[in-house]
Amino acid sequence: MPGFKSDQPSRLSRRNFIIGTGTTAAAFALYAGEIARHEVDVVDRPISIKDLPSAFHGYRIVQISDIHLDEYTEPYFFEHIVNKVNSLAPDLVLLTGDFVTHGSITFIAGRHAAHRAAEIITKLTAPLRYAVLGNHDVAVDPAMVVHALSSRGTPVLVNQNVPIERNGARIWLCGLDDPGTSSPNLDLAVPTKPDGPVILMGHEPDYADTVMAHPRGPLVDLMLSGHSHGGQIRLPFLGPLVLPPMGMKYPEGHYRFNQMQLYVNRGIGTVGLPFRLNCPPEITVLTLNPA
């Protein structure tokens, strides 16, 4: 019958389409969730700083950010990151926030994840390491995250600064309370009259505009941030699908302003969905050079 003959190929076509679509979705999930999410990009970034003391010429800082342990970063993957950082032999490691995730399993895993992350961080072999909090850390429990890190030898700078000294010279390392959820205070974080270059850690990169407009802003040579994850999923010609508040203007990479530079690390972990595409997790090696 004519009707029967014309209907059968249509059914087969729909079935094949559904099968093909499902296969494509499964392949994407496998690649973005298991392969691309674990392909670490080590980014070498020379940073030229005016009046950099000679003792700090070639000084190597590794930045890692947005670990988001357990949801969805696996402990074994974070251990792999730490081993990779150790192989780079940096002078200083800076961790720019979001050690845990405020999400669907926080009530079960948030406290455990903070302590587990802090334990893994103790395996870093660099002479010095410092951290700041991110918005997820604050949402889970800032005091708990600070205690987990600091009790295991990772100082957390919350509107504070410390001098990093080398051969009689110094640079100033400053850390803000999370700009997106808390009370960042540049008057407390940045010293009044620093006798060396100033590096400022602040989790949300778009806060750089506030730094530049502040009276202490001209004292800051380099700001280091994370938060945006680079968008996690970046499509050709379209760029990132989603960017978070305070991570939309400066989503990733190196930016230069009149008196300050900003570097935005893409982070290690993911939020929302455990996917990355054209946006690999990042370890940044910042090498200080004289301008």
Side-chain angles (χ1 to χ4, degrees), residues 28 32-33 37 71-72 229 232-233 269-276:
F28 169 81
R37 185 168 66 87
E71 190 182 344
Y72 295 98
H229 302 191
Q232 284 189 197
I233 297 175
T270 58
V271 294
L273 292 171
F275 294 155
R276 280 187 180 266

Side-chain angles (χ1 to χ4, degrees), residues 216-232:
R216 299 279 174 96
L219 300 174
V220 178
D221 296 281
L222 174 65
M223 179 175 171
L224 300 179
S225 300
H227 182 57
S228 67
H229 302 191
Q232 284 189 197

Side-chain angles (χ1 to χ4, degrees), residues 15-34:
R15 185 179 69 181
N16 290 341
F17 174 78
I18 292 169
I19 292 172
T21 301
T23 301
T24 300
F28 169 81
L30 176 63
Y31 177 75
E34 293 301 322

Side-chain angles (χ1 to χ4, degrees), residues 173-197:
L173 179 63
C174 311
L176 290 167
D177 201 356
D178 179 61
T181 57
S182 300
S183 301
N185 190 324
L186 285 160
D187 290 321
L188 295 176
V190 179
T192 307
K193 295 181 179 179
D195 54 350

Side-chain angles (χ1 to χ4, degrees), residues 231-242:
Q232 284 189 197
I233 297 175
R234 301 178 67 93
L235 299 180
F237 308 111
L238 296 178
L241 286 184
V242 179

Side-chain angles (χ1 to χ4, degrees), residues 232-286:
Q232 284 189 197
I233 297 175
R234 301 178 67 93
L235 299 180
F237 308 111
L238 296 178
L241 286 184
V242 179
L243 289 168
M246 296 191 72
M248 297 181 178
K249 189 173 182 180
Y250 308 116
E252 66 163 337
H254 189 209
Y255 302 87
R256 293 180 179 272
F257 308 102
N258 291 333
Q259 77 279 3
M260 187 180 81
Q261 298 175 69
L262 168 68
Y263 192 84
V264 185
N265 180 289
R266 290 190 301 268
I268 299 301
T270 58
V271 294
L273 292 171
F275 294 155
R276 280 187 180 266
L277 185 66
N278 297 323
C279 190
E282 177 178 353
I283 297 171
T284 313
V285 183
L286 303 151

